[in-house]
Amino acid sequence: MSEPFIGHVIDGKEEESHGGGRFETVDPWARTAWAQVAEGGADDVERAVSSARRAFTEGEWPRMGYEDRGRVLRGLAGLIEAHADELAAADSRDMGRPVAQALAKDVTRAAANFRFFADHARITGAEHYPSDLGCHVYTRYEAAGVVAAVSPWNFPLMLESWKIAPALAHGNTVVLKPAEQSPASATLLAKLAIEAGLPAGVLNVVHGFGPRAAGEFLVSHPGVDRITFTGETATGKAIARSAAGNLTPVSMELGGKGANVVFADADLELAVRWSVQAAFGNAGQVCLAGSRLFVERPVHEEFLARFTEAAEHLAVGDPRDRRTDIGPLASAEHHAKVTSYLDAVERGGQGKIVTGGRYAGDTWAVRPTVIVDAPEDAAVCREEIFGPVVVVTPFEREDEVVARANGTPYGLNAMLFTENLRRAHRVAAALKGGTVWVNCFFVRDLRAPFGGVGQSGIGREGGAYSREFFTEPKAVVMNVGMPEGR
Ligand code: NAD
């Protein structure tokens, strides 16, 4: 039987590449190719950007108004739910996410993103400025134009919808370049959008690779008005260089090395439960992962024992099995990267592994891995591993742990666990990051700002922050009775 084909979606149609190029997407559990994918080049990017431009300048989408656009986007949310199994299976097949989690979390969130931004765009007011000059001054939030969205493989559908939904809700048109490891759900989503009534050219998808390929061609294109990117910090820097050529505004959600601080007065049962999720959810392939776990000395031993036991109870295996907690890592290359950190620990000088390590056979899975006694300057403590690997260390004092938690170039997020109200607020203020979770993890309010500081990103998205980025705010100053002589 021939492999399924995943095409670009350009101007409302699923298409081959202009040059006919294709690449394979690999199922990381089976470790075999499962589909052929159109490999985009400069011609495909050109067609997609032209289509998006036409839809923006001549089409109805930017002119439809929030109410009608919202109706289409809510319709798309409904279609996402109706096709939940297919979408969850696509992501799982591409990057190994357990199907049950993709269904319960990612697909649900993707639908929620479209509903939320449809509603938010419609109900959010705009500023009027009191003026004693006899002028009426107000702000118009006008669609920016053609948005390039470049996304990673770790939560494909969820992160793509996080970019596309606000861009569309505010009247822009979009060209999405999904990660090459996870193309399937993007094409499905674009086809569902057409079924929901999105006009041709409003949402285009071009597949392919990053450097000197579809990704770079897209972010260097002078016809792009905004670039929203999620991925590695090094890629973010390359994209910023490409964007600089056209002065295209960028929004970047990049890597992290999240600190998780457990104080001695924490509810330990709660802290263990959330910390396990923070360290091992999605096999640790989470920018927000709590991969540096600091535990106050008096409870360190007890916490470590309970945390390690909970880690050992997680089921590693076939992502299609509904009982699986942790699937394989997304690709052979990524597995090689993550296990290189484990090998370095085993060679000595970077602490020791108390549980975890490679999974059975030559699969690309890694067991939930807990490392202790690692020196602060060890690579496992400083670099984003992006796998189910956590370093646990004790601390003595609040000021000490804050300094250590803040001691990386990243600043995406942090977590803290305490039952002391004053400490909770004090430490939340002191920790570096775009988000600090207190006594929880990964809980999102889509109105709140989301993004990182330092090497973790530029800008914020979410609610009004997304509107700011995906629109051109314009001040209108109207003379309604200025005094003579001014
Ligand atoms: P990546 O940077 O390797 O790739 C992301 C995307 O960028 C892909 O679509 C890729 O093809 C494209 N790309 C690569 N080079 C490019 C170039 N020169 N020009 C244009 N496009 C280019 O990231 P990844 O490995 O897919 O994802 C994992 C990374 O994403 C981790 O670092 C993780 O922390 C980060 N991430 C961050 C967030 C966040 O919200 N901050 C969320 C998820 C993932």
Side-chain angles (χ1 to χ4, degrees):
M1 208 175 76
S2 67
E3 287 167 356
F5 171 67
I6 299 166
H8 310 302
V9 178
I10 300 177
D11 214 26
K13 292 183 287 297
E14 186 172 5
E15 299 208 344
E16 285 275 4
S17 285
H18 183 70
R22 289 182 172 195
F23 65 100
E24 288 178 326
T25 178
V26 172
D27 174 335
W29 182 248
R31 284 167 296 136
T32 51
W34 76 271
Q36 298 256 324
V37 190
E39 183 176 345
D43 289 336
D44 304 296
V45 168
E46 191 58 50
R47 284 189 299 144
V49 174
S50 303
S51 164
R53 174 61 55 199
R54 234 180 359 263
F56 184 73
T57 50
E58 299 164 22
E60 60 196 302
W61 186 253
R63 290 155 202 90
M64 271 166 85
Y66 294 110
E67 190 67 47
D68 289 345
R69 281 200 296 268
R71 198 166 303 124
V72 175
L73 298 178
R74 278 190 292 276
L76 174 55
L79 285 174
I80 289 171
E81 284 162 349
H83 292 261
D85 287 329
E86 210 181 331
L87 289 161
D91 277 355
S92 177
R93 198 100 198 252
D94 270 343
M95 46 69 71
R97 176 133 168 93
V99 161
Q101 293 168 21
L103 254 182
K105 298 185 176 164
D106 311 354
V107 177
T108 311
R109 186 38 213 291
N113 282 341
F114 282 102
R115 286 202 182 96
F116 170 81
F117 284 107
D119 291 342
H120 189 271
R122 186 171 52 82
I123 65 176
T124 310
E127 306 85 8
H128 291 243
Y129 300 92
S131 164
D132 52 10
L133 300 175
C135 286
H136 177 50
V137 183
Y138 63 95
T139 312
R140 285 175 51 79
Y141 287 90
E142 299 179 349
V146 174
V147 172
V150 180
S151 55
W153 49 259
N154 61 327
F155 293 100
L157 178 71
M158 180 173 101
L159 291 173
E160 286 154 10
S161 61
W162 169 242
K163 298 178 175 309
I164 295 167
L168 294 183
H170 288 287
N172 300 281
T173 60
V174 174
V175 180
L176 167 69
K177 209 299 276 170
E180 53 271 34
Q181 298 87 347
S182 57
S185 58
T187 289
L188 284 172
L189 176 69
K191 292 202 279 192
L192 292 176
I194 294 164
E195 198 180 324
L198 203 72
V202 173
L203 173 59
N204 305 274
V205 176
V206 178
H207 293 293
F209 296 88
R212 294 172 300 286
E216 188 174 331
F217 300 144
L218 177 61
V219 296
S220 315
H221 199 293
V224 163
D225 301 295
R226 291 288 186 277
I227 297 168
T228 169
F229 170 70
T230 299
E232 283 183 19
T233 299
T235 311
K237 291 178 183 175
I239 291 179
R241 285 191 288 273
S242 298
N246 302 309
L247 276 183
T248 314
V250 294
S251 168
M252 298 201 165
E253 296 179 353
L254 307 176
K257 189 72 181 169
N260 180 3
V261 181
V262 178
F263 287 95
D265 64 9
D267 174 336
L268 279 201
E269 199 253 302
L270 178 112
V272 167
R273 185 156 44 82
W274 285 108
S275 300
V276 164
Q277 233 188 82
F280 305 124
N282 203 26
Q285 302 167 123
V286 183
C287 52
L288 304 156
S291 53
R292 294 180 300 142
L293 186 35
F294 299 96
V295 187
E296 200 169 4
R297 181 76 73 185
V299 294
H300 176 258
E301 213 172 299
E302 184 189 348
F303 179 90
L304 183 62
R306 287 164 71 168
F307 179 75
T308 304
E309 194 196 343
E312 285 167 352
H313 272 95
L314 295 172
V316 182
D318 184 342
R320 274 159 287 262
D321 185 332
R322 301 269 161 160
R323 289 161 303 184
T324 295
D325 297 306
I326 296 188
L329 298 179
S331 65
E333 298 72 40
H334 192 54
H335 178 256
K337 178 189 153 185
V338 172
T339 50
S340 75
Y341 284 97
L342 304 184
D343 294 344
V345 173
E346 269 156 11
R347 279 198 300 275
Q350 292 208 35
K352 65 172 193 284
I353 295 175
V354 291
T355 188
R358 287 168 191 266
Y359 185 63
D362 55 0
T363 62
W364 297 341
V366 166
R367 286 151 56 213
T369 302
V370 180
I371 296 170
V372 295
D373 299 338
E376 208 97 326
D377 61 353
V380 288
C381 294
R382 301 201 57 78
E383 294 170 15
E384 183 183 44
I385 300 174
F386 220 55
V389 181
V390 62
V391 181
V392 183
T393 44
F395 70 91
E396 313 289 342
R397 295 187 327 275
E398 185 182 305
D399 59 343
E400 169 217 333
V401 77
V402 166
R404 288 169 66 194
N406 289 348
T408 79
Y410 292 112
L412 191 57
N413 65 299
M415 283 73 76
L416 73 107
F417 290 86
T418 179
E419 293 296 302
N420 178 324
L421 185 64
R422 286 195 206 196
R423 170 181 282 149
H425 287 291
R426 191 170 60 231
V427 176
L431 287 171
K432 182 168 80 168
T435 304
V436 175
W437 279 290
V438 181
N439 293 334
C440 62
F441 169 69
F442 216 73
V443 180
R444 292 290 311 284
D445 182 324
L446 302 182
R447 294 168 300 182
F450 182 79
V453 306
Q455 300 287 299
S456 290
I458 299 176
R460 297 290 183 275
E461 292 189 31
Y465 301 88
S466 294
R467 175 174 74 169
E468 182 91 17
F469 181 68
F470 289 115
T471 60
E472 289 289 2
K474 176 188 281 174
V476 178
V477 184
M478 187 185 297
N479 179 352
V480 291
M482 287 179 72
E484 293 285 325
R486 273 197 64 100

